[in-house]
């Protein structure tokens, strides 16, 4: 059987041409992002994510969220202010600082980065977590950042991933601990071939044949929902679409695409989602069927319904964020080159610790928790 596919955008030329200026500007932006990340990691992780965590996981996470939320804020600045990408929000207005499980479609390798634009507007940028491929945790510097922000590494093997998800999420059940847990139920980014495979499977199993999204994998979603249900405020159903064509990481870095990112949000109260696994799985299937129709309408109309739910980023606040990050980076770079041997030893041991801890996904436990475990 043949299946028609309606891609969200035909293959077109880039929105902006890749000029020498854009290449130089992109390289400078990447160097800034890499150097600032490195400085924040080697100087703040031993104190915020290790020493403080021995006494309180909650306050350790708050400090990490504050510090690394500043750094993550550089990415929306790059997208919206430097690249001049128009990020358009639609659907439901969501209140700030909620504790949520967020489910999104996965069009391309950079979807997850544009969710930072929404999280920044809601004051939750440092609290956003992702389920992501374990191999990404092994990247130098950026992988270290994923580890510090407590992203959940997956092997894409449920027998291996289930205990990891449950173990890590069991530490996030405190309602006072801010959280934006993001799940891409499709399990991989969209492509023509993956869509055809998904459609064939759906046809064989009597499931909806979708054109703009892949069939969602339900077990990971349900595991997250089951563990966190009693501590969440809502579930956000987020649908992402791009004008012109889907961007790559380098498109973002050099600012050649996308011209517009459209993000549609539905805020769903927890009581609307069934508690049993079977019914919750059906609910997720219906949700992705709705996404598929929403994306088909986007193809026809060029936009999602009810646009304009979020304001533009404040240029003043963006500049303040940038100045703070650059000032901190400059101070510690100066200290690195002009410190005594002990300062350089600190930097060296910090690098070794972070690289090892990220590779093995090791995190210190609070002393008081260990004492209670020994007592009982």
């Amino acid at each position: 059987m043949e299946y028609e596919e309606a891609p969200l955008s035909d293959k077109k030329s880039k929105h902006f041409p890749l000029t020498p200026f854009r290449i130089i500007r992109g390289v400078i932006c990447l160097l800034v992002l890499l150097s600032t990340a490195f400085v924040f990691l080697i100087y703040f992780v031993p104190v915020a994510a290790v020493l403080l965590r021995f006494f309180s996981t909650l306050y350790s996470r708050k400090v990490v969220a504050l510090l690394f939320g500043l750094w993550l804020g550089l990415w929306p600045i790059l997208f919206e202010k430097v690249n001049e990408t128009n990020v358009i929000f639609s659907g439901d207005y969501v209140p700030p600082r909620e504790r949520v499980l967020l489910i999104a479609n996965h069009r391309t390798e950079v979807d997850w980065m544009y969710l930072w634009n929404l999280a920044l507007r809601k004051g939750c940028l440092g609290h956003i977590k992702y389920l992501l491929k374990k191999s990404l945790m092994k990247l130098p510097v950026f992988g270290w950042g994923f580890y510090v922000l407590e992203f959940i590494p997956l092997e894409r093997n449920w027998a291996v991933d289930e205990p990891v998800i449950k173990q890590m999420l069991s530490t996030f059940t405190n309602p006072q601990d801010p959280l934006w847990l993001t799940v891409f139920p499709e399990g991989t980014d969209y492509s023509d071939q993956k869509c055809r495979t998904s459609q064939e499977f759906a046809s064989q199993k009597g499931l909806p044949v979708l054109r703009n999204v892949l069939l969602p994998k339900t077990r990971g979603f349900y595991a997250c929902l089951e563990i966190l249900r009693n501590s969440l405020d809502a579930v956000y159903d987020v649908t992402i679409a791009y004008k012109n064509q889907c961007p790559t990481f380098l498109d973002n870095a050099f600012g050649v695409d996308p011209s517009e990112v459209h993000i549609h949000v539905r805020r769903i109260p927890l009581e609307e989602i069934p508690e049993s696994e079977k019914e919750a799985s059906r609910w997720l299937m219906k949700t992705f069927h709705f996404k598929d129709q929403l994306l088909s309408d986007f193809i026809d109309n060029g936009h999602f319904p009810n646009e304009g739910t979020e304001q533009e980023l404040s240029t003043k606040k963006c500049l303040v964020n940038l100045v703070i990050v650059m000032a901190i980076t400059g101070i510690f770079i100066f200290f690195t080159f002009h410190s005594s041997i002990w300062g350089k030893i600190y930097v060296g041991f910090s690098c070794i610790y972070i690289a090892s801890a990220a590779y093995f996904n090791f995190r210190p436990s609070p002393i008081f928790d260990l004492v209670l475990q020994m007592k009982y």
Side-chain angles (χ1 to χ4, degrees):
M1 179 181 292
E2 294 184 357
Y3 302 94
E4 290 186 7
E5 181 198 353
L8 286 182
S9 56
D10 297 329
K11 194 66 177 177
K12 302 176 182 177
S13 60
K14 302 298 183 183
H15 181 62
F16 292 109
L18 184 60
T19 62
F21 170 76
R22 288 189 177 275
I23 293 173
I24 293 170
R25 190 187 71 180
V27 169
I28 292 172
C29 288
L30 288 176
L31 288 174
V32 168
L33 290 163
L34 191 65
S35 60
T36 51
F38 184 75
V39 168
F40 271 56
L41 286 164
I42 62 174
Y43 280 103
F44 294 140
V45 167
V47 176
V50 179
L51 184 61
L52 185 56
R53 195 178 177 104
F54 278 127
F55 298 95
S56 171
T57 300
L58 177 62
Y59 286 103
S60 171
R61 284 175 174 162
K62 287 182 180 292
V63 174
V64 166
L66 174 64
L67 293 170
F68 289 91
L70 285 171
W71 180 79
L72 284 175
L74 298 182
W75 291 92
I77 293 173
L78 170 64
F79 300 151
E80 297 189 43
K81 301 301 181 181
V82 178
N83 292 348
E84 298 182 325
T85 296
N86 192 14
V87 182
I88 301 169
F89 296 91
S90 60
D92 295 335
Y93 172 80
V94 294
R97 300 186 182 279
E98 283 199 306
R99 186 178 157 89
V100 301
L101 174 62
L102 188 152
I103 56 174
N105 63 315
H106 201 359
R107 288 295 303 177
T108 181
E109 62 190 30
V110 294
D111 296 319
W112 56 285
M113 302 178 80
Y114 281 106
L115 295 177
W116 292 339
N117 296 62
L118 177 61
L120 177 60
R121 287 167 165 84
K122 298 304 171 182
C124 294
L125 187 54
H127 303 294
I128 195 167
K129 319 292 178 192
Y130 297 93
L131 277 68
L132 81 170
K133 292 186 296 184
K134 188 175 182 179
S135 58
L136 295 176
M137 302 286 282
K138 299 177 182 179
L139 293 173
V141 184
F142 289 130
W144 301 355
F146 300 157
Y147 158 77
V148 172
L149 290 165
E150 297 187 81
F151 293 3
I152 300 175
L154 301 180
E155 296 275 8
R156 292 181 174 176
N157 178 337
W158 184 243
V160 177
D161 294 337
E162 183 180 17
V164 174
I165 292 173
K166 290 185 175 181
Q167 186 278 321
M168 290 195 67
L169 289 187
S170 67
T171 70
F172 281 99
T173 55
N174 183 352
Q176 302 304 313
D177 191 358
L179 177 66
W180 266 38
L181 179 65
T182 304
V183 179
F184 294 96
E186 290 164 283
T188 184
D189 55 351
Y190 182 98
S191 72
D192 294 353
Q193 180 57 50
K194 292 172 186 174
C195 181
R196 285 191 289 269
T197 301
S198 177
Q199 289 174 334
E200 290 170 2
F201 179 83
S203 181
Q204 293 170 4
K205 299 295 182 180
L207 298 171
V209 176
L210 309 176
R211 304 173 68 199
N212 304 298
V213 292
L214 309 179
L215 279 175
K217 296 176 173 61
T218 60
R219 287 185 296 188
F221 162 76
Y222 181 74
C224 296
L225 183 66
E226 183 182 32
I227 295 169
L228 298 173
R229 179 185 284 271
N230 293 331
S231 64
L232 295 176
D233 294 309
V235 169
Y236 293 172
D237 172 28
V238 176
T239 305
I240 305 173
Y242 300 94
K243 275 291 182 68
N244 196 47
Q245 60 187 340
C246 293
T248 66
F249 177 79
L250 290 180
D251 289 339
N252 277 344
F254 297 131
V256 296
D257 250 334
S259 57
E260 293 180 8
V261 180
H262 291 254
I263 301 177
H264 184 274
V265 184
R266 289 197 304 148
R267 184 186 184 277
I268 302 167
L270 267 297
E271 55 269 21
E272 293 185 12
I273 304 175
E275 294 191 14
S276 73
E277 182 172 5
K278 184 176 181 180
E279 292 301 316
S281 297
R282 287 179 179 172
W283 177 88
L284 186 63
M285 286 290 181
K286 291 179 181 178
T287 298
F288 267 74
H289 190 267
F290 174 82
K291 281 182 181 294
D292 189 55
Q293 184 58 54
L294 193 64
L295 290 167
S296 291
D297 293 342
F298 178 87
I299 295 169
D300 295 335
N301 303 319
H303 60 83
F304 289 129
N306 191 29
E307 287 186 337
T309 53
E310 301 294 340
Q311 300 296 317
E312 289 187 15
L313 288 180
S314 165
T315 301
K316 180 179 178 180
K317 290 182 179 179
C318 289
L319 287 174
V320 169
N321 190 114
L322 179 62
V323 168
I324 291 173
V325 172
M326 295 301 292
I328 291 172
T329 301
I331 290 169
F332 281 104
I333 288 177
F334 178 85
F335 174 79
T336 301
F337 286 102
H338 295 83
S339 65
S340 66
I341 186 63
W342 294 109
K344 294 177 173 62
I345 290 174
Y346 173 88
V347 170
F349 274 103
S350 181
C351 289
I352 293 170
Y353 172 81
I354 298 169
S356 302
Y359 187 88
F360 294 106
N361 198 31
F362 165 78
R363 303 177 195 282
S365 297
I367 295 172
F368 297 122
D369 288 356
L370 292 175
V371 170
L372 288 174
Q373 289 174 11
M374 293 174 63
K375 183 177 179 180
Y376 294 102

